Amino acid sequence: MPQIRFDQVTKSYGNTQVLPPFDLTLHNGEFTVLVGPSGCGKSTTLRMLAGLEVLSGGEIWFDDRPISRVEPKDRDIAMVFQDYALYPHMNIAKNMSFALKLKRTPKKEINQKVEQVATMLGIEHLLSRKPGELSGGQRQRVAMGRALVRDASTFLFDEPLSNLDAKLRNKMRTELAEMRNLLDKNMVYVTHDQVEAMTLGDRIVVMADGLIQQQGTPEELFKTPNNKFVAGFIGSPNMNFLEATLIEEADNLYAKGKGFCLQLSAQHRATLTSRIAQQDADITVGIRPSSFYLDNLPESANTPSEISLYVVVSEYLGAQSVLLTRCEDQNLEIEMESASPVQNNQTLNFSVLPEDIMIFDNDTGNRL
Amino acid sequence: MQSSFNTNRLIPYFFLAPALIILGVALLYPIGYMIYASFLDWNPSQRIGEADWVGLRNYTFLLHDASFRESFFVTLKFASIVVILEMIIGVGLALLLDRNIRGMSALRTIFILPMMIAPIVVGLMWRYMYHPTVGIFNRTLKDWGFEAIPWLSDSWWSLVSVIIADIWQWTPFIFILSLAALQSLPRSALEASRIDGATGWQQIFYIKLPLMMPVLIVTALLRLIDAFKVLEVILVLTNGGPGLSTEILSLRISRTASEFRELGVAAAMSNYLLILLFVLTVAMFLYNKVVEKHAIKQQAKTEEA
């Protein structure tokens, strides 16, 4: 398995630069997820890796071999497409064995391999059918099967689950996670769904507007996002953002906004106090929906601040509730454990801990 | 209640009636007339009522008529050769030009120009080009030091000449239909085949051509039907000659009616041609039906699963 390295790779269509030069290293044997909203350049990045798009500049390295001018078939990759891209006129067995047939693999070996993969994916009864006769989930499996049969060192997935319904998507996601553990391969996976990214990826690369915003493990991205975009994109429900101003009172630093005043941690105080003197005290506060406590504050809690929120909609999901609340004119989502449904149209007092509060610069969006 | 229900059901037919009447007058009446005429020994100087009824004599006569059989054979030869060559060239061009080329839409318009020129003009144009002494072909050959070719005066070359002219005129038809078929192919399947390791040729033979096949078959049949009816270009170029070497059926029909003044025989000949074309059309229809049925079957299977 090669280590894949993007070196100052850029992509333009005509005069429009969609991907400014970027570096990216995909480590050996890792499951890397490229995630971002539509049009962020993640699919283009994957397609350049596959050889389906020509680079406008830079180089992609497989270990120390430059591959940007190598034909897709010589890159030792297999790819699963969003719309499965099965060959409509061939039956499933032929679809899966097409690559082997082109490589002039002996028939016996082909049959053996197809059968083995089909059994692994539970599609052995479909081998004589054509793609048009299969359901979406079955086609998805065949597409995976076709990639697996090739036994390439690197697997590319281009939003493979996005055409499936929610239930099937969850099921296939778990199967993919299982497959990832079974196969010792490089996998690069493109999705716009942060849940897929968080659950599947060893490492996640968050992209927006053609730029890599941050890369790291799911935990790193969740706990220490670089900027407001990553903080808002990773995690479900999304992080709440509130406009606020920094103020210093009695040796403590607070973020004060309409209807709330939250005490910040000592660490924040060390880095942020100087901004007050510079008349640069307007910031954005970010708090995860799961960081609000009603009455279950941990015992070790240190200097919690209170915030009064008016419950507009309460979504009872069983063990949890998601509350849509309002603080003056700003909306907040709160996720909390709930034994029974929370009533709408009431004001509740929540506690927030200083260490759960993130502060972002208003202009750059960077986390401070 | 009952009567309003009936009126509702009849309304579509009221709307269809004008079209049906026009169809009847413009299509069925002439065909019926032709079929009737084919049973008559009818000279153009007679009114149809005065002609003698001869039953199937015109048909049996034609079966034993060497010139008709020759003409039928020439038509078959002409139609099959032009369709095969046009398919190969048209599909080949489409495969070559199925890419993002600057000014492709302008190119496409230029490519289909021959199809838009009136056949008589095409015939005249080619006749000048084929001219034995001043035509561009023979002049060029002479300049290069080759011998002149008797384009329209030799029986073998004259068939070649009309075939070339027809290919020039009708390849664009196949080209644009193939190009449309190519451009509607699933892009991702082609990309998948590139990753699977298919070379350009393998993509064409394993993916593109099989997927285009339904369109290609219909296109070929349409061209075949058209090729059987070709008249003007050959009329202008060779008028069937030399001898009977390029006398295709429609030309023979027109000559039988106007020169030999045998309207009954001409009608019978037209009916033979009609039957042939009818068989071809039904074949095309059946093919579509089979494909459709297959698609429905597939759908049903998918829903079951």
Side-chain angles (χ1 to χ4, degrees), chain A residues 170-201:
Chain A
N170 285 343
K171 188 165 167 239
M172 291 303 288
R173 200 177 64 213
T174 348
E175 285 184 18
L176 255 175
E178 203 184 325
M179 199 166 103
R180 175 195 63 183
N181 297 338
L182 282 176
L183 304 167
D184 187 24
K185 306 273 185 195
N186 285 337
M187 299 206 186
V188 186
Y189 188 102
V190 161
T191 179
H192 59 262
D193 181 353
Q194 61 93 16
V195 178
E196 273 173 38
M198 293 291 275
T199 50
L200 288 172

PDB file of all heavy atoms in Angstrom, chain A residues 170-201:
ATOM      1  N   ASN A 170     -27.909   3.698   6.863  1.00  0.00           N
ATOM      2  CA  ASN A 170     -27.327   3.341   8.151  1.00  0.00           C
ATOM      3  C   ASN A 170     -26.771   1.928   8.120  1.00  0.00           C
ATOM      4  O   ASN A 170     -25.694   1.650   8.627  1.00  0.00           O
ATOM      5  CB  ASN A 170     -28.377   3.444   9.255  1.00  0.00           C
ATOM      6  CG  ASN A 170     -28.654   4.893   9.600  1.00  0.00           C
ATOM      7  OD1 ASN A 170     -27.855   5.766   9.245  1.00  0.00           O
ATOM      8  ND2 ASN A 170     -29.771   5.153  10.255  1.00  0.00           N
ATOM      9  N   LYS A 171     -27.537   1.027   7.486  1.00  0.00           N
ATOM     10  CA  LYS A 171     -27.129  -0.369   7.446  1.00  0.00           C
ATOM     11  C   LYS A 171     -25.832  -0.507   6.649  1.00  0.00           C
ATOM     12  O   LYS A 171     -24.877  -1.159   7.096  1.00  0.00           O
ATOM     13  CB  LYS A 171     -28.247  -1.183   6.794  1.00  0.00           C
ATOM     14  CG  LYS A 171     -28.033  -2.645   6.876  1.00  0.00           C
ATOM     15  CD  LYS A 171     -29.314  -3.412   6.560  1.00  0.00           C
ATOM     16  CE  LYS A 171     -28.976  -4.861   6.334  1.00  0.00           C
ATOM     17  NZ  LYS A 171     -29.376  -5.326   5.016  1.00  0.00           N
ATOM     18  N   MET A 172     -25.811   0.148   5.473  1.00  0.00           N
ATOM     19  CA  MET A 172     -24.628   0.025   4.631  1.00  0.00           C
ATOM     20  C   MET A 172     -23.420   0.678   5.298  1.00  0.00           C
ATOM     21  O   MET A 172     -22.291   0.247   5.114  1.00  0.00           O
ATOM     22  CB  MET A 172     -24.865   0.684   3.262  1.00  0.00           C
ATOM     23  CG  MET A 172     -25.859  -0.026   2.375  1.00  0.00           C
ATOM     24  SD  MET A 172     -25.426  -1.745   2.042  1.00  0.00           S
ATOM     25  CE  MET A 172     -24.052  -1.564   0.928  1.00  0.00           C
ATOM     26  N   ARG A 173     -23.682   1.724   6.081  1.00  0.00           N
ATOM     27  CA  ARG A 173     -22.591   2.402   6.765  1.00  0.00           C
ATOM     28  C   ARG A 173     -21.916   1.461   7.755  1.00  0.00           C
ATOM     29  O   ARG A 173     -20.695   1.387   7.824  1.00  0.00           O
ATOM     30  CB  ARG A 173     -23.136   3.632   7.483  1.00  0.00           C
ATOM     31  CG  ARG A 173     -22.081   4.646   7.813  1.00  0.00           C
ATOM     32  CD  ARG A 173     -22.668   5.864   8.451  1.00  0.00           C
ATOM     33  NE  ARG A 173     -23.268   5.529   9.738  1.00  0.00           N
ATOM     34  CZ  ARG A 173     -24.333   6.136  10.226  1.00  0.00           C
ATOM     35  NH1 ARG A 173     -24.921   7.090   9.543  1.00  0.00           N
ATOM     36  NH2 ARG A 173     -24.826   5.781  11.399  1.00  0.00           N
ATOM     37  N   THR A 174     -22.759   0.728   8.467  1.00  0.00           N
ATOM     38  CA  THR A 174     -22.188  -0.223   9.423  1.00  0.00           C
ATOM     39  C   THR A 174     -21.411  -1.303   8.686  1.00  0.00           C
ATOM     40  O   THR A 174     -20.338  -1.721   9.133  1.00  0.00           O
ATOM     41  CB  THR A 174     -23.303  -0.902  10.246  1.00  0.00           C
ATOM     42  OG1 THR A 174     -24.510  -0.202  10.026  1.00  0.00           O
ATOM     43  CG2 THR A 174     -22.972  -0.924  11.687  1.00  0.00           C
ATOM     44  N   GLU A 175     -21.976  -1.746   7.546  1.00  0.00           N
ATOM     45  CA  GLU A 175     -21.269  -2.784   6.796  1.00  0.00           C
ATOM     46  C   GLU A 175     -19.936  -2.278   6.280  1.00  0.00           C
ATOM     47  O   GLU A 175     -18.945  -3.004   6.263  1.00  0.00           O
ATOM     48  CB  GLU A 175     -22.137  -3.273   5.634  1.00  0.00           C
ATOM     49  CG  GLU A 175     -23.261  -4.168   6.111  1.00  0.00           C
ATOM     50  CD  GLU A 175     -24.072  -4.745   4.975  1.00  0.00           C
ATOM     51  OE1 GLU A 175     -23.582  -4.744   3.828  1.00  0.00           O
ATOM     52  OE2 GLU A 175     -25.191  -5.202   5.231  1.00  0.00           O
ATOM     53  N   LEU A 176     -19.946  -1.021   5.863  1.00  0.00           N
ATOM     54  CA  LEU A 176     -18.698  -0.416   5.384  1.00  0.00           C
ATOM     55  C   LEU A 176     -17.667  -0.371   6.503  1.00  0.00           C
ATOM     56  O   LEU A 176     -16.491  -0.678   6.294  1.00  0.00           O
ATOM     57  CB  LEU A 176     -18.965   1.006   4.910  1.00  0.00           C
ATOM     58  CG  LEU A 176     -19.003   1.239   3.418  1.00  0.00           C
ATOM     59  CD1 LEU A 176     -19.402   2.671   3.142  1.00  0.00           C
ATOM     60  CD2 LEU A 176     -17.646   0.952   2.815  1.00  0.00           C
ATOM     61  N   ALA A 177     -18.137  -0.003   7.690  1.00  0.00           N
ATOM     62  CA  ALA A 177     -17.226   0.069   8.830  1.00  0.00           C
ATOM     63  C   ALA A 177     -16.626  -1.312   9.095  1.00  0.00           C
ATOM     64  O   ALA A 177     -15.438  -1.454   9.397  1.00  0.00           O
ATOM     65  CB  ALA A 177     -17.967   0.577  10.057  1.00  0.00           C
ATOM     66  N   GLU A 178     -17.467  -2.346   8.936  1.00  0.00           N
ATOM     67  CA  GLU A 178     -16.996  -3.708   9.160  1.00  0.00           C
ATOM     68  C   GLU A 178     -15.968  -4.086   8.092  1.00  0.00           C
ATOM     69  O   GLU A 178     -14.928  -4.686   8.376  1.00  0.00           O
ATOM     70  CB  GLU A 178     -18.204  -4.644   9.101  1.00  0.00           C
ATOM     71  CG  GLU A 178     -17.995  -5.939   9.828  1.00  0.00           C
ATOM     72  CD  GLU A 178     -19.196  -6.844   9.640  1.00  0.00           C
ATOM     73  OE1 GLU A 178     -20.326  -6.325   9.582  1.00  0.00           O
ATOM     74  OE2 GLU A 178     -18.980  -8.057   9.521  1.00  0.00           O
ATOM     75  N   MET A 179     -16.291  -3.703   6.840  1.00  0.00           N
ATOM     76  CA  MET A 179     -15.400  -4.008   5.733  1.00  0.00           C
ATOM     77  C   MET A 179     -14.049  -3.336   5.948  1.00  0.00           C
ATOM     78  O   MET A 179     -13.001  -3.912   5.664  1.00  0.00           O
ATOM     79  CB  MET A 179     -16.046  -3.503   4.445  1.00  0.00           C
ATOM     80  CG  MET A 179     -15.517  -4.105   3.187  1.00  0.00           C
ATOM     81  SD  MET A 179     -16.649  -3.707   1.843  1.00  0.00           S
ATOM     82  CE  MET A 179     -15.756  -2.423   1.053  1.00  0.00           C
ATOM     83  N   ARG A 180     -14.108  -2.125   6.462  1.00  0.00           N
ATOM     84  CA  ARG A 180     -12.865  -1.376   6.696  1.00  0.00           C
ATOM     85  C   ARG A 180     -11.952  -2.145   7.647  1.00  0.00           C
ATOM     86  O   ARG A 180     -10.745  -2.188   7.479  1.00  0.00           O
ATOM     87  CB  ARG A 180     -13.214  -0.016   7.295  1.00  0.00           C
ATOM     88  CG  ARG A 180     -12.023   0.801   7.688  1.00  0.00           C
ATOM     89  CD  ARG A 180     -12.412   1.941   8.581  1.00  0.00           C
ATOM     90  NE  ARG A 180     -12.971   1.435   9.838  1.00  0.00           N
ATOM     91  CZ  ARG A 180     -13.453   2.218  10.783  1.00  0.00           C
ATOM     92  NH1 ARG A 180     -13.476   3.514  10.606  1.00  0.00           N
ATOM     93  NH2 ARG A 180     -13.938   1.712  11.894  1.00  0.00           N
ATOM     94  N   ASN A 181     -12.572  -2.774   8.646  1.00  0.00           N
ATOM     95  CA  ASN A 181     -11.766  -3.520   9.611  1.00  0.00           C
ATOM     96  C   ASN A 181     -11.189  -4.789   9.007  1.00  0.00           C
ATOM     97  O   ASN A 181     -10.116  -5.236   9.376  1.00  0.00           O
ATOM     98  CB  ASN A 181     -12.612  -3.877  10.834  1.00  0.00           C
ATOM     99  CG  ASN A 181     -13.079  -2.633  11.558  1.00  0.00           C
ATOM    100  OD1 ASN A 181     -12.464  -1.572  11.419  1.00  0.00           O
ATOM    101  ND2 ASN A 181     -14.156  -2.754  12.305  1.00  0.00           N
ATOM    102  N   LEU A 182     -11.961  -5.393   8.061  1.00  0.00           N
ATOM    103  CA  LEU A 182     -11.512  -6.645   7.459  1.00  0.00           C
ATOM    104  C   LEU A 182     -10.370  -6.434   6.481  1.00  0.00           C
ATOM    105  O   LEU A 182      -9.446  -7.236   6.398  1.00  0.00           O
ATOM    106  CB  LEU A 182     -12.679  -7.304   6.714  1.00  0.00           C
ATOM    107  CG  LEU A 182     -13.699  -8.044   7.566  1.00  0.00           C
ATOM    108  CD1 LEU A 182     -14.827  -8.551   6.693  1.00  0.00           C
ATOM    109  CD2 LEU A 182     -13.028  -9.207   8.286  1.00  0.00           C
ATOM    110  N   LEU A 183     -10.467  -5.337   5.706  1.00  0.00           N
ATOM    111  CA  LEU A 183      -9.507  -5.130   4.637  1.00  0.00           C
ATOM    112  C   LEU A 183      -8.418  -4.199   5.113  1.00  0.00           C
ATOM    113  O   LEU A 183      -8.697  -3.173   5.722  1.00  0.00           O
ATOM    114  CB  LEU A 183     -10.191  -4.496   3.421  1.00  0.00           C
ATOM    115  CG  LEU A 183     -11.372  -5.244   2.855  1.00  0.00           C
ATOM    116  CD1 LEU A 183     -12.113  -4.343   1.890  1.00  0.00           C
ATOM    117  CD2 LEU A 183     -10.917  -6.511   2.167  1.00  0.00           C
ATOM    118  N   ASP A 184      -7.208  -4.559   4.805  1.00  0.00           N
ATOM    119  CA  ASP A 184      -6.115  -3.667   5.164  1.00  0.00           C
ATOM    120  C   ASP A 184      -5.744  -2.884   3.908  1.00  0.00           C
ATOM    121  O   ASP A 184      -4.836  -3.255   3.182  1.00  0.00           O
ATOM    122  CB  ASP A 184      -4.946  -4.502   5.670  1.00  0.00           C
ATOM    123  CG  ASP A 184      -3.847  -3.621   6.204  1.00  0.00           C
ATOM    124  OD1 ASP A 184      -4.153  -2.477   6.598  1.00  0.00           O
ATOM    125  OD2 ASP A 184      -2.692  -4.059   6.196  1.00  0.00           O
ATOM    126  N   LYS A 185      -6.506  -1.800   3.634  1.00  0.00           N
ATOM    127  CA  LYS A 185      -6.311  -1.041   2.392  1.00  0.00           C
ATOM    128  C   LYS A 185      -6.326   0.441   2.702  1.00  0.00           C
ATOM    129  O   LYS A 185      -6.866   0.868   3.716  1.00  0.00           O
ATOM    130  CB  LYS A 185      -7.470  -1.320   1.416  1.00  0.00           C
ATOM    131  CG  LYS A 185      -7.702  -2.772   1.133  1.00  0.00           C
ATOM    132  CD  LYS A 185      -6.846  -3.232   0.000  1.00  0.00           C
ATOM    133  CE  LYS A 185      -7.181  -4.675  -0.352  1.00  0.00           C
ATOM    134  NZ  LYS A 185      -6.165  -5.272  -1.198  1.00  0.00           N
ATOM    135  N   ASN A 186      -5.789   1.200   1.761  1.00  0.00           N
ATOM    136  CA  ASN A 186      -6.023   2.644   1.798  1.00  0.00           C
ATOM    137  C   ASN A 186      -7.451   2.885   1.353  1.00  0.00           C
ATOM    138  O   ASN A 186      -7.871   2.351   0.336  1.00  0.00           O
ATOM    139  CB  ASN A 186      -5.121   3.365   0.798  1.00  0.00           C
ATOM    140  CG  ASN A 186      -3.693   3.443   1.279  1.00  0.00           C
ATOM    141  OD1 ASN A 186      -3.438   3.357   2.474  1.00  0.00           O
ATOM    142  ND2 ASN A 186      -2.773   3.596   0.344  1.00  0.00           N
ATOM    143  N   MET A 187      -8.175   3.676   2.093  1.00  0.00           N
ATOM    144  CA  MET A 187      -9.514   4.016   1.645  1.00  0.00           C
ATOM    145  C   MET A 187      -9.691   5.525   1.712  1.00  0.00           C
ATOM    146  O   MET A 187      -9.344   6.153   2.701  1.00  0.00           O
ATOM    147  CB  MET A 187     -10.559   3.338   2.518  1.00  0.00           C
ATOM    148  CG  MET A 187     -10.473   1.835   2.499  1.00  0.00           C
ATOM    149  SD  MET A 187     -12.039   1.083   2.855  1.00  0.00           S
ATOM    150  CE  MET A 187     -11.544  -0.625   2.938  1.00  0.00           C
ATOM    151  N   VAL A 188     -10.229   6.056   0.632  1.00  0.00           N
ATOM    152  CA  VAL A 188     -10.530   7.488   0.606  1.00  0.00           C
ATOM    153  C   VAL A 188     -12.012   7.617   0.301  1.00  0.00           C
ATOM    154  O   VAL A 188     -12.506   7.033  -0.666  1.00  0.00           O
ATOM    155  CB  VAL A 188      -9.706   8.232  -0.463  1.00  0.00           C
ATOM    156  CG1 VAL A 188      -9.935   9.728  -0.350  1.00  0.00           C
ATOM    157  CG2 VAL A 188      -8.241   7.892  -0.334  1.00  0.00           C
ATOM    158  N   TYR A 189     -12.692   8.338   1.145  1.00  0.00           N
ATOM    159  CA  TYR A 189     -14.145   8.351   1.108  1.00  0.00           C
ATOM    160  C   TYR A 189     -14.622   9.794   1.072  1.00  0.00           C
ATOM    161  O   TYR A 189     -14.211  10.610   1.899  1.00  0.00           O
ATOM    162  CB  TYR A 189     -14.625   7.655   2.376  1.00  0.00           C
ATOM    163  CG  TYR A 189     -16.100   7.376   2.486  1.00  0.00           C
ATOM    164  CD1 TYR A 189     -16.585   6.097   2.253  1.00  0.00           C
ATOM    165  CD2 TYR A 189     -16.994   8.366   2.860  1.00  0.00           C
ATOM    166  CE1 TYR A 189     -17.936   5.815   2.380  1.00  0.00           C
ATOM    167  CE2 TYR A 189     -18.342   8.093   2.981  1.00  0.00           C
ATOM    168  CZ  TYR A 189     -18.804   6.813   2.738  1.00  0.00           C
ATOM    169  OH  TYR A 189     -20.139   6.528   2.865  1.00  0.00           O
ATOM    170  N   VAL A 190     -15.465  10.102   0.097  1.00  0.00           N
ATOM    171  CA  VAL A 190     -15.980  11.462  -0.014  1.00  0.00           C
ATOM    172  C   VAL A 190     -17.446  11.483   0.401  1.00  0.00           C
ATOM    173  O   VAL A 190     -18.216  10.620  -0.010  1.00  0.00           O
ATOM    174  CB  VAL A 190     -15.856  11.972  -1.468  1.00  0.00           C
ATOM    175  CG1 VAL A 190     -16.783  13.142  -1.709  1.00  0.00           C
ATOM    176  CG2 VAL A 190     -14.425  12.388  -1.754  1.00  0.00           C
ATOM    177  N   THR A 191     -17.808  12.423   1.228  1.00  0.00           N
ATOM    178  CA  THR A 191     -19.215  12.520   1.634  1.00  0.00           C
ATOM    179  C   THR A 191     -19.520  13.959   2.052  1.00  0.00           C
ATOM    180  O   THR A 191     -18.618  14.738   2.333  1.00  0.00           O
ATOM    181  CB  THR A 191     -19.520  11.562   2.799  1.00  0.00           C
ATOM    182  OG1 THR A 191     -20.880  11.719   3.169  1.00  0.00           O
ATOM    183  CG2 THR A 191     -18.641  11.857   4.003  1.00  0.00           C
ATOM    184  N   HIS A 192     -20.801  14.296   2.042  1.00  0.00           N
ATOM    185  CA  HIS A 192     -21.175  15.594   2.596  1.00  0.00           C
ATOM    186  C   HIS A 192     -21.833  15.397   3.954  1.00  0.00           C
ATOM    187  O   HIS A 192     -22.257  16.345   4.598  1.00  0.00           O
ATOM    188  CB  HIS A 192     -22.123  16.340   1.652  1.00  0.00           C
ATOM    189  CG  HIS A 192     -23.378  15.587   1.378  1.00  0.00           C
ATOM    190  ND1 HIS A 192     -23.559  14.819   0.248  1.00  0.00           N
ATOM    191  CD2 HIS A 192     -24.486  15.437   2.106  1.00  0.00           C
ATOM    192  CE1 HIS A 192     -24.746  14.250   0.309  1.00  0.00           C
ATOM    193  NE2 HIS A 192     -25.320  14.603   1.413  1.00  0.00           N
ATOM    194  N   ASP A 193     -21.915  14.128   4.375  1.00  0.00           N
ATOM    195  CA  ASP A 193     -22.634  13.803   5.605  1.00  0.00           C
ATOM    196  C   ASP A 193     -21.629  13.645   6.739  1.00  0.00           C
ATOM    197  O   ASP A 193     -20.827  12.710   6.760  1.00  0.00           O
ATOM    198  CB  ASP A 193     -23.396  12.491   5.367  1.00  0.00           C
ATOM    199  CG  ASP A 193     -24.190  12.078   6.586  1.00  0.00           C
ATOM    200  OD1 ASP A 193     -24.038  12.727   7.637  1.00  0.00           O
ATOM    201  OD2 ASP A 193     -24.936  11.097   6.488  1.00  0.00           O
ATOM    202  N   GLN A 194     -21.662  14.566   7.698  1.00  0.00           N
ATOM    203  CA  GLN A 194     -20.645  14.526   8.745  1.00  0.00           C
ATOM    204  C   GLN A 194     -20.791  13.302   9.641  1.00  0.00           C
ATOM    205  O   GLN A 194     -19.818  12.866  10.242  1.00  0.00           O
ATOM    206  CB  GLN A 194     -20.647  15.834   9.536  1.00  0.00           C
ATOM    207  CG  GLN A 194     -21.923  16.167  10.241  1.00  0.00           C
ATOM    208  CD  GLN A 194     -21.928  15.668  11.669  1.00  0.00           C
ATOM    209  OE1 GLN A 194     -20.889  15.337  12.209  1.00  0.00           O
ATOM    210  NE2 GLN A 194     -23.107  15.603  12.259  1.00  0.00           N
ATOM    211  N   VAL A 195     -22.012  12.727   9.697  1.00  0.00           N
ATOM    212  CA  VAL A 195     -22.175  11.519  10.517  1.00  0.00           C
ATOM    213  C   VAL A 195     -21.373  10.376   9.911  1.00  0.00           C
ATOM    214  O   VAL A 195     -20.659   9.641  10.597  1.00  0.00           O
ATOM    215  CB  VAL A 195     -23.668  11.141  10.640  1.00  0.00           C
ATOM    216  CG1 VAL A 195     -23.820   9.869  11.456  1.00  0.00           C
ATOM    217  CG2 VAL A 195     -24.450  12.276  11.269  1.00  0.00           C
ATOM    218  N   GLU A 196     -21.469  10.223   8.572  1.00  0.00           N
ATOM    219  CA  GLU A 196     -20.665   9.213   7.893  1.00  0.00           C
ATOM    220  C   GLU A 196     -19.188   9.453   8.145  1.00  0.00           C
ATOM    221  O   GLU A 196     -18.424   8.525   8.411  1.00  0.00           O
ATOM    222  CB  GLU A 196     -20.923   9.255   6.374  1.00  0.00           C
ATOM    223  CG  GLU A 196     -22.096   8.424   5.922  1.00  0.00           C
ATOM    224  CD  GLU A 196     -22.414   8.646   4.451  1.00  0.00           C
ATOM    225  OE1 GLU A 196     -21.480   8.790   3.647  1.00  0.00           O
ATOM    226  OE2 GLU A 196     -23.609   8.676   4.109  1.00  0.00           O
ATOM    227  N   ALA A 197     -18.807  10.727   8.051  1.00  0.00           N
ATOM    228  CA  ALA A 197     -17.396  11.060   8.236  1.00  0.00           C
ATOM    229  C   ALA A 197     -16.934  10.669   9.631  1.00  0.00           C
ATOM    230  O   ALA A 197     -15.899  10.024   9.806  1.00  0.00           O
ATOM    231  CB  ALA A 197     -17.181  12.553   7.997  1.00  0.00           C
ATOM    232  N   MET A 198     -17.723  11.023  10.640  1.00  0.00           N
ATOM    233  CA  MET A 198     -17.330  10.767  12.024  1.00  0.00           C
ATOM    234  C   MET A 198     -17.289   9.272  12.315  1.00  0.00           C
ATOM    235  O   MET A 198     -16.416   8.802  13.032  1.00  0.00           O
ATOM    236  CB  MET A 198     -18.314  11.446  12.983  1.00  0.00           C
ATOM    237  CG  MET A 198     -18.299  12.950  12.951  1.00  0.00           C
ATOM    238  SD  MET A 198     -16.806  13.632  13.624  1.00  0.00           S
ATOM    239  CE  MET A 198     -17.190  13.660  15.372  1.00  0.00           C
ATOM    240  N   THR A 199     -18.260   8.518  11.779  1.00  0.00           N
ATOM    241  CA  THR A 199     -18.344   7.109  12.152  1.00  0.00           C
ATOM    242  C   THR A 199     -17.361   6.244  11.374  1.00  0.00           C
ATOM    243  O   THR A 199     -16.948   5.199  11.850  1.00  0.00           O
ATOM    244  CB  THR A 199     -19.763   6.562  11.936  1.00  0.00           C
ATOM    245  OG1 THR A 199     -20.180   6.917  10.626  1.00  0.00           O
ATOM    246  CG2 THR A 199     -20.725   7.138  12.944  1.00  0.00           C
ATOM    247  N   LEU A 200     -17.009   6.649  10.150  1.00  0.00           N
ATOM    248  CA  LEU A 200     -16.171   5.784   9.322  1.00  0.00           C
ATOM    249  C   LEU A 200     -14.695   6.155   9.366  1.00  0.00           C
ATOM    250  O   LEU A 200     -13.828   5.295   9.274  1.00  0.00           O
ATOM    251  CB  LEU A 200     -16.646   5.838   7.867  1.00  0.00           C
ATOM    252  CG  LEU A 200     -17.967   5.143   7.566  1.00  0.00           C
ATOM    253  CD1 LEU A 200     -18.386   5.447   6.138  1.00  0.00           C
ATOM    254  CD2 LEU A 200     -17.841   3.651   7.767  1.00  0.00           C
ATOM    255  N   GLY A 201     -14.423   7.435   9.491  1.00  0.00           N
ATOM    256  CA  GLY A 201     -13.063   7.882   9.221  1.00  0.00           C
ATOM    257  C   GLY A 201     -12.079   7.628  10.340  1.00  0.00           C
ATOM    258  O   GLY A 201     -12.398   7.806  11.519  1.00  0.00           O
TER     259      GLY A 201
END
